[in-house]
Amino acid sequence: DTGVSQNPRHKITKRGQNVTFRCDPISEHNRLYWYRQTLGQGPEFLTYFQNEAQLEKSRLLSDRFSAERPKGSFSTLEIQRTEQGDSAMYLCASSLFSTDYNEQFFGPGTRLTVL
Amino acid sequence: DAKTTQPTSMDCAEGRAANLPCNHSTISGNEYVYWYRQIHSQGPQYIIHGLKNNETNEMASLIITEDRKSSTLILPHATLRDTAVYYCIVRSRNLFFGTGTRLTVIP
């Protein structure tokens, strides 16, 4: 399968613990995006990378959140000191940068439950 | 970024055309209209995009009004597998999803 993959698919953690998610984009895609989706809402943009550079961060991305894409391939999203409000689906998407349009390919997501 | 307005939900009979409207009255000249859909428990899936002209691909057609203030996504022959939340998005760089339209295709 050459699509976007995310691991783990599900994560249950206790409040205050740190969690890390991984995203493997489509191999030739140079842009990688993270979104968060809560029940009944559409995905909300968190951040994106072009190659290894993090070019934009949403105000939703608090200091407890950090994302990396060290070699311009896979990316990790870490949440420190998790809170119950962090419970959501975390989606990763990738695209091939174009000035024309922005078709993003999404992974299946990681569902986080904070107890 | 231009904001979009979509109906919360719609029903469509299987085999009939599904027409999903979207208002984007504050769209600017360089912003594209994108449509994505999200089937339950999956990540969003790209459907189609356009700037000024009407567009068609193997999944759907996109009709954009001449003033670009609204558009309609057309699924020509809806099937049960088209049941999903459909998002109309207008953005020049990153995607801003609203709450979308929940389309239910009825047998």
Side-chain angles (χ1 to χ4, degrees), chain A residues 62-75:
Chain A
S62 76
D63 291 344
R64 297 184 297 105
F65 287 69
S66 62
E68 294 183 344
R69 195 183 183 198
K71 297 182 180 179
S73 56
F74 74 92
S75 175

Side-chain angles (χ1 to χ4, degrees), chain A residues 19-47:
Chain A
V19 295
T20 301
F21 311 140
R22 176 178 170 126
C23 171
D24 287 90
I26 294 172
S27 59
E28 65 269 25
H29 284 182
N30 52 7
R31 283 201 168 175
L32 186 148
Y33 309 79
W34 286 98
Y35 293 83
R36 181 176 71 184
Q37 185 172 26
T38 54
L39 201 61
Q41 302 298 314
E44 298 172 292
F45 168 76
L46 292 178
T47 187

Side-chain angles (χ1 to χ4, degrees), chain B residues 2-15:
Chain B
K3 191 170 181 178
T4 62
T5 305
Q6 298 178 253
T8 303
S9 63
M10 293 180 64
D11 292 339
C12 178
E14 187 178 17

Side-chain angles (χ1 to χ4, degrees), chain A residues 57-101:
Chain A
K57 292 193 287 187
S58 160
R59 284 170 291 184
L60 292 175
L61 210 67
S62 76
D63 291 344
R64 297 184 297 105
F65 287 69
S66 62
E68 294 183 344
R69 195 183 183 198
K71 297 182 180 179
S73 56
F74 74 92
S75 175
T76 58
L77 177 68
E78 180 182 16
I79 308 174
Q80 296 182 325
R81 305 180 303 282
T82 53
E83 301 173 357
Q84 288 186 325
D86 297 331
S87 294
M89 176 74 83
Y90 289 85
L91 293 160
C92 174
S94 69
S95 72
L96 189 62
F97 173 64
S98 164
T99 56
D100 190 25
Y101 71 100

